[in-house]
Amino acid sequence: MTDRLYYNGRVFTGCSDDADADAFRVSGDGTFSWAGHFEGDPPEGSVDLGGRFVLPGLIEAHEHALIVAGIASASPCTIPAVRNIDDMVELLRRNPNFGKGPDAWITGWGYDETKLAERRTPTRHDLDRVSTTQPVYVIRSDCHSGICNTRALELAGVTRDTPDPKVGAFGRDPDGTPNGVLFELEANARVRNLAEKPDFESVVRTIAASARHFHERGYAVTTEMMARLAPLNHLRAFREAEKLGFDLQAALYLVWEGKADPFGMRDLLPEEKTGRVRFAGLKLFADGSVSGRTAWVNRPYSDGTTGLSTLDLPTLAAAYEYARRNALQLSIHVMGDRSLDRIIDFFADKDPWLDGIPSVRLEHVTLISRAQLARMRRGRMSWGATTQVIFAFAEIESYREALVPEVFKEIYPVRMLESELGPLALSSDSPATTWMDPDDMAVSLEAAVTRRAYEGSSINAAQSIPVGKALRLYTGRASGIFRTEVPAGRIAAGCEADFNVMSADPFGMEPEDLRNLRVDEAYMRGEKVFARR
Ligand SMILES: [Zn+2]
């Protein structure tokens, strides 16, 4: 097969902030061989784009692809469908597993107690109204905490005598009996690991089936930010899914479970760090969330608290040593500026250990100052970041409630990050967002450009960025955060021929309509993989 020419389009190549080409060529090996301006008679077999807008295949730089893949059978306990606890109970009773016997888990995702009319976290007493015979489990919007019913607590063996983990806790009734609220990762995992303990084959099938979800939304590259080696090796699962048709490139980040002791994770094999799906890094959590007031901040929240650190220095040091030895990136969840200070201090005298991509990537950076960016630049370390304006878009009420006004007006400074930090991506952190279709790029795009929340109020409007810059943070700029087997995120010679024909030209849309932008056709490696009917 010779090169195929696509011409007469509005082509955003991801190499600049504008639609800077009208044509491109795709070669027989599934990569782009050229992009630019075409004049003259197109050869036979060329494709007339009819003036339509084309984007490179998108990069979702911070996502939980496994949870997204698994969400199919879990009930979305989010706005607009769920506005109070009765709605949630009702919705869970319509879960496909309802009535399927005592071993069938009824699961949901995405609740946020601040969005519920009752403004409290549902407990087992609420979820027992869904079922007393079947286990029920719902993961919170932040994917850190969860809630479950009495049956689920029984199956997990969590009783009055079960001690709380070091970080987080089991919520309790006044008499000390666990009330079904599972605060933070460790407590949450006690139940979650049972609820989501499908056999290897069904995980593989779920991943394979999720390719369509990603194609419809225009993604060619995705990430799994909480991957594991055991009990289920997620890399192996993705690779089996590739045989069943999963065709995206994917970067997997291993949750650091080594703590500070030397008996942590085994070293990785070279073949685990190459290929279309690969282990790309380690994931650490330095703090919680701003909306939940668990991010560690320099200036107190409106209730006078300052959040907490979930990362001690010996653990950070052990993870750093492991990452260097294994040539992996360190990805650090850091929302609060106080946590960030400590991370900047730690790396102040350290050298980068990876070439061409940042050795350390910061996730979310809800609060980051110009002074902190300057300190980062003064050291030798190479930094990258992902940030999620969609959090504030969807969770505006909790941000407004948690933060005093002076701090609120500094959140998600995307304009500053965009101009001061090279490797930067906008992303959704899906499904860790209380929104019904959280990894719809168009919603993040609208939030970044308009800086308005879903209900119309302003989110620090001075940090708005133009639409072209926002698109680049999902394409060309995002491609600088981590490496892929075949270069991606740009329509340029040598990059994988992943592209999307869009429903409209976002440069011509009203900013407040951007969320309606859709993928009409998606192509991977030059082949059409999705067409909207
Ligand atoms: Zn995440």
Side-chain angles (χ1 to χ4, degrees):
M1 187 179 137
T2 51
D3 286 12
R4 171 171 285 172
L5 174 74
Y6 291 77
Y7 67 101
N8 187 29
R10 280 256 302 150
V11 180
F12 184 91
T13 63
C15 303
S16 78
D17 296 341
D18 215 333
D20 52 4
D22 54 42
F24 53 87
R25 282 200 183 87
V26 174
S27 69
D29 66 359
T31 60
F32 293 112
S33 57
W34 170 85
H37 295 282
F38 179 80
E39 278 168 40
D41 290 329
E44 201 169 324
S46 299
V47 178
D48 183 352
L49 290 164
R52 288 188 293 170
F53 191 86
V54 176
L55 279 177
L58 304 175
I59 296 175
E60 177 45 278
H62 183 133
E63 170 133 351
H64 299 271
L66 279 163
I67 307 180
V68 168
I71 268 175
S73 68
S75 304
C77 298
T78 70
I79 49 167
V82 169
R83 295 187 182 272
N84 56 49
I85 293 173
D86 283 345
D87 289 345
M88 190 188 291
V89 169
E90 215 15 66
L91 187 81
L92 290 165
R93 288 178 68 91
R94 292 201 302 269
N95 183 279
N97 276 351
F98 184 80
K100 294 252 170 87
D103 298 329
W105 283 77
I106 297 166
T107 58
W109 62 275
Y111 79 89
D112 174 349
E113 63 285 349
T114 65
K115 295 264 194 212
L116 298 170
E118 295 85 353
R119 302 190 69 78
R120 66 170 175 86
T121 302
T123 65
R124 68 186 169 95
H125 305 290
D126 301 298
L127 296 182
D128 285 347
R129 287 161 53 207
V130 179
S131 177
T132 51
T133 53
Q134 281 183 266
V136 179
Y137 167 73
V138 185
I139 189 167
R140 194 179 181 276
S141 63
D142 61 3
C143 293
H144 283 212
S145 298
I147 48 177
C148 66
N149 69 347
T150 305
R151 180 74 190 125
L153 284 173
E154 279 167 19
L155 290 174
V158 176
T159 68
R160 255 178 102 127
D161 305 324
T162 308
D164 286 332
K166 212 172 93 201
V167 177
F170 297 105
R172 294 178 196 269
D173 288 334
D175 68 351
T177 313
N179 70 359
V181 182
L182 312 157
F183 292 110
E184 282 299 317
L185 295 171
E186 249 178 279
N188 193 36
R190 281 290 289 266
V191 175
R192 188 180 161 195
N193 290 346
L194 297 175
E196 298 175 1
K197 196 186 99 213
D199 55 300
F200 186 75
E201 272 68 37
S202 54
V203 172
V204 170
R205 279 197 303 274
T206 307
I207 296 170
S210 73
R212 183 173 171 86
H213 168 98
F214 293 116
H215 294 158
E216 285 177 1
R217 289 158 183 78
Y219 295 108
V221 179
T222 188
T223 43
E224 170 48 58
M225 299 307 296
M226 278 168 79
R228 289 196 152 80
L229 279 168
L232 198 149
N233 184 320
H234 288 149
L235 180 65
R236 268 189 57 219
F238 270 93
R239 289 191 170 163
E240 285 301 310
E242 286 186 294
K243 297 177 193 162
L244 301 179
F246 182 85
D247 56 358
L248 284 87
Q249 300 197 77
L252 276 45
Y253 288 77
L254 285 162
V255 180
W256 176 249
E257 296 178 307
K259 308 285 181 217
D261 74 54
F263 305 104
M265 285 187 287
R266 65 164 169 85
D267 286 327
L268 297 185
L269 307 167
E271 60 266 29
E272 292 174 311
K273 295 180 280 184
T274 53
R276 291 183 68 80
V277 180
R278 58 173 66 180
F279 284 131
L282 280 190
K283 173 72 178 294
L284 297 171
F285 291 91
D287 59 5
S289 74
V290 168
S291 55
R293 301 177 204 196
T294 45
W296 201 28
V297 292
N298 283 322
R299 290 157 296 176
Y301 294 108
S302 50
D303 63 3
T305 59
T306 51
L308 72 154
S309 166
T310 57
L311 181 65
D312 55 38
L313 286 173
T315 303
L316 176 57
Y320 158 72
E321 287 302 333
Y322 179 97
R324 272 173 54 110
R325 193 169 70 240
N326 284 278
L328 290 170
Q329 238 176 4
L330 259 192
S331 152
I332 309 178
H333 166 118
V334 51
M335 285 194 141
D337 48 2
R338 192 160 174 191
S339 283
L340 182 58
D341 275 335
R342 204 153 71 157
I343 292 161
I344 297 171
D345 288 345
F346 180 85
F347 288 106
D349 60 347
K350 298 192 171 49
D351 289 305
W353 60 92
L354 300 174
D355 277 331
I357 52 167
S359 294
V360 182
R361 47 175 283 188
L362 305 171
E363 312 301 327
H364 318 311
V365 287
T366 310
L367 291 169
I368 180 170
S369 67
R370 207 169 280 282
Q372 286 175 317
L373 280 163
R375 278 171 59 213
M376 286 159 65
R377 260 196 309 273
R378 273 202 295 279
R380 294 182 298 275
M381 188 47 63
S382 52
W383 304 89
T386 72
T387 192
Q388 291 78 11
V389 203
I390 190 173
F391 287 165
F393 169 89
E395 300 168 36
I396 186 69
E397 299 89 348
S398 32
Y399 277 90
R400 281 198 187 285
E401 216 171 278
L403 297 170
V404 297
E406 307 93 86
V407 180
F408 179 85
K409 62 176 197 261
E410 292 176 19
I411 61 172
Y412 298 107
V414 180
R415 189 188 189 96
M416 179 176 74
L417 287 169
E418 199 278 334
S419 67
E420 304 214 4
L421 198 62
L424 178 72
L426 270 177
S427 96
S428 70
D429 195 4
S430 180
T433 298
T434 316
W435 194 250
M436 51 200 156
D437 192 0
D439 61 356
D440 179 355
M441 174 276 284
V443 181
S444 283
L445 194 65
E446 180 181 310
V449 173
T450 66
R451 296 295 298 208
R452 286 191 184 283
Y454 78 96
E455 32 69 297
S457 73
S458 167
I459 317 161
N460 183 8
Q463 291 294 333
S464 143
I465 54 170
V467 69
K469 287 192 188 294
L471 287 172
R472 221 165 149 215
L473 295 179
Y474 264 106
T475 56
R477 291 278 295 274
S479 72
I481 302 233
F482 55 88
R483 210 166 262 124
T484 47
E485 178 82 348
V486 186
R490 286 172 300 134
I491 298 178
C495 290
E496 183 158 294
D498 309 324
F499 60 96
N500 301 298
V501 180
M502 307 303 290
S503 62
D505 177 350
F507 288 89
M509 293 172 80
E510 291 298 328
E512 52 276 14
D513 287 341
L514 282 170
R515 75 174 83 171
N516 298 316
L517 183 66
R518 286 287 166 274
V519 172
D520 275 350
E521 293 170 17
Y523 292 75
M524 293 275 304
R525 293 182 274 193
E527 302 290 331
K528 192 186 288 188
V529 291
F530 167 72
R532 190 169 299 283
R533 271 167 306 192

